[in-house]
Amino acid sequence: MESGPPQGVPGINQVTIPDLWQQQAVAFLREGKDVVVHAPTGAGKTLIFELWSNAGRNRGQAIYTVPTRALANDKLAEWRARGWNVGIATGDLAENLSAPVLVATLETQKNRLIAGDGPSLLVIDEYQMIGDADRGLNYELAIALAPPRTQLLLLSGSVGNPQDVVKWLRRLGRHAEMIRTDHRPVPLEEVFANTLSYHVPSEVKGYWPRFCAKALAENLGPILIFAPRRAGTETLAAEIARFLPNPNPLHLTPEQKQIVGPQLERMLKTRVAYHHSGLSYAVRAGVIEPLAKAGQLRAVVATMGLAAGINFSLRSATVAASSYRRDYVELPLRADEILQMFGRAGRRGIDEIGYVLVNQNEVRLRDGYPAHLSRSAMVDWSALLGLMTAAAQHGRDPFTEAVQVQQRLFTTKPILLGVEESMKNPDVPCGLKTDAERARHVRKRVRQMLNSRGDWELTPPPTEKALRDICVMEPIPESALNLLKLRTGAAQRKASTLRLHGEAPHPGPLSEGVGRVERESGVETESRDDLAESVLSAIQLRPALTFAETIEKVGQGLLCAVGEENGRTVYGRCTMVAERAGHDRVILVKWVRRLINWHGRDATLAQWNEKIALLIQSRLAQRRTPVIRFDDDEQKITAVLSLADLTMRAPVDSYGVAIWHPIEREVVPRDCAVCPLVPVCRQLPTTTGVAMLWRRLGLVDAVGVPTRR
């Protein structure tokens, strides 16, 4: 039932008896519950808030958020005209912020809400903005982090799964109820433009002027046309105004003419206008919208983005394009966007039926329907880091705070930060805080070598050492070597078991108590213990110069014995330096002539003894291969060289002993060897997670506290 507003109830405009679903929504609000309302455009969703607010039951401030600044300004003007004490906050305008009712864009309230400073009631009109690629993050965080004492009233007519939103709110610990109605106060009817039979005069040129002329002649006006872009609305409106016959020009007041300017004044004179967010508030809300609501305009061309934001409806609505351009990409209209635009057809209290006009692009009424709402794929990292900073300042764990926030988002798939498993077991020997770091750490293979004392230690980088200082480990039988390596798994398994039961693993070196480790780990018995001890006792080091395989690639010449040390042969190199040519002459080999810079091929035996041999000894000593002796026979003279001063790369153990090709094994890191969580860490993904990326970028420190960066 519709009539004028009753006396003494300024909050109810025209509708004196609310529909049952509206009364039920208000009842839920009065019970302190959150309410999710699904109702078609124009059904009266806003009336729920007006009834609640005007009944005097609002204890504290109520914030009514809308998707556009234009709609916020419109609500401000409408409610102030009723005598309400209303403030506004839209980013570019902030006025009377402590008023009982504050109209705002949600972005202006996000930081306040996530900081825990919420109003008594937060109304989110067109909450389907959660799925918006640009603004959805703000809507989602505001709802997810609104303080428990703040009631929520979510309004929309284009969400296909409002029950999932209710489940989300209940998962957040809220008492939420859903109100749903599919009844439209003004039903919609589809009309095909090509079925309109009115004959348009030939002087009316262009598709859209002729389209509007036919529709107006069939009493389907006024018409609301949605166009893709701002420039497109102006161009299309200008075309319609130019060719559409104008038997009844509109006369503007001097104040209206001053507001709109001469160009728009000429267009309005033909009862045609355009409407987009680039127009000033005075032009939109002061002239165009009042004229449209009063039925003074025949056609209004508006941008698609304002479908959910404009606060007026016309008898018919149509869509001029089936796609629009966004960030240099052409995107098709979504079903819920089409539903929003067609929902503007039909004026409640004026029209019995609203008309959807199907034009050449064939966007039809059936193409518009509520869409499944899901969150955008983005995450508001800056807001998340801000929450982590606040948590650290209050003595809470930043990573725990971040995970809890992510778990509150509107999603069925968890948004992982890469610290979830680490949070379950925060106290670990490695001290790593992110899952990826633990996964990579446990997969590292630490290289150990058997040192000169028979202990396992980390293999150091090889260094250059003289051969005289390098040792070689005596060969160990394969079975004994396997036993030594077996102690790795036995000791680590025992240490993990001890730690799991709260006992400290034995701190001694691996060579101590080999049998003890194996017995405690259940490996086996005294015979194996004795065998392990015998292996360790059998480990002996010998000089590298006594081991032919070590020096087979060092120096030049033939490998030969040059002496003995502790009963072992010491090896060096022997190389021919000259051939005998009779009893008193020698022929020097080519490399010797170059070495001593000798001219000619031969020399006398006296020259050899007095000069050449001394030169060879001097030059070879400079090359760190000193001559031990010259062996002279009837055919040649051979130099026996020492290799002790030549260098080779070898690891040096913790006792300062360089060992060539030491016995090595690969084990897990030492901290993992005493940690029972190794199987868990092995299952973690090694991919770089969000938290680890923050660490690399220097956005957070090792424990998750955001840095000044």
Side-chain angles (χ1 to χ4, degrees), residues 560-677:
C560 63
V562 298
E564 284 191 5
E565 181 179 331
N566 296 328
R568 294 188 179 94
T569 301
V570 178
Y571 293 96
R573 296 284 183 182
C574 57
T575 180
M576 188 175 69
V577 293
E579 296 181 42
R580 297 297 296 267
H583 295 288
D584 59 348
R585 300 192 69 81
V586 295
I587 300 174
L588 303 179
V589 297
K590 187 174 183 179
W591 71 268
V592 171
R593 296 198 300 269
R594 290 179 177 177
L595 178 69
I596 64 175
N597 198 21
W598 186 263
H599 298 288
R601 294 182 58 201
D602 55 357
T604 65
L605 192 58
Q607 289 175 319
W608 167 262
N609 293 327
E610 296 173 2
K611 184 176 182 180
I612 295 175
L614 297 176
L615 283 174
I616 292 175
Q617 289 176 330
S618 174
R619 299 294 170 80
L620 288 178
Q622 292 174 4
R623 295 188 176 187
R624 295 184 297 181
T625 54
V627 177
I628 298 175
R629 67 179 183 272
F630 289 108
D631 291 339
D632 191 355
D633 59 29
E634 294 180 355
Q635 295 181 350
K636 63 182 183 296
I637 301 174
T638 302
V640 178
L641 309 178
S642 171
L643 303 179
D645 294 330
L646 292 180
T647 61
M648 196 164 58
R649 294 176 63 81
V652 180
D653 70 8
S654 56
Y655 299 100
V657 179
I659 305 176
W660 180 78
H661 287 188
I663 297 172
E664 291 185 302
R665 67 181 183 183
E666 287 187 345
V667 296
V668 297
R670 181 176 293 273
D671 44 19
C672 293
V674 295
C675 180
L677 297 177

Side-chain angles (χ1 to χ4, degrees), residues 49 51-62 100-101 120-121:
F49 168 72
L51 291 170
W52 179 89
S53 180
N54 214 25
R57 296 185 180 273
N58 52 322
R59 299 180 178 89
Q61 189 180 48
V101 175
S120 296
L121 177 67

Side-chain angles (χ1 to χ4, degrees), residues 200-248:
V200 181
S202 59
E203 58 267 20
V204 180
K205 302 183 182 300
Y207 176 83
W208 285 105
R210 297 177 66 85
F211 178 93
C212 291
K214 284 185 177 182
L216 293 172
E218 296 285 349
N219 196 30
L220 299 177
I223 307 168
L224 180 57
I225 305 172
F226 288 100
R229 307 172 188 86
R230 290 183 186 180
T233 62
E234 297 182 15
T235 302
L236 184 54
E239 180 185 0
I240 295 172
R242 178 182 176 186
F243 291 105
L244 192 65
N246 186 25
N248 183 22

Side-chain angles (χ1 to χ4, degrees), residues 261-274:
Q263 182 178 358
L264 191 53
E265 176 193 349
R266 290 191 295 271
M267 184 179 294
L268 287 170
K269 187 176 181 179
T270 66
R271 299 184 183 272
V272 176
Y274 57 84

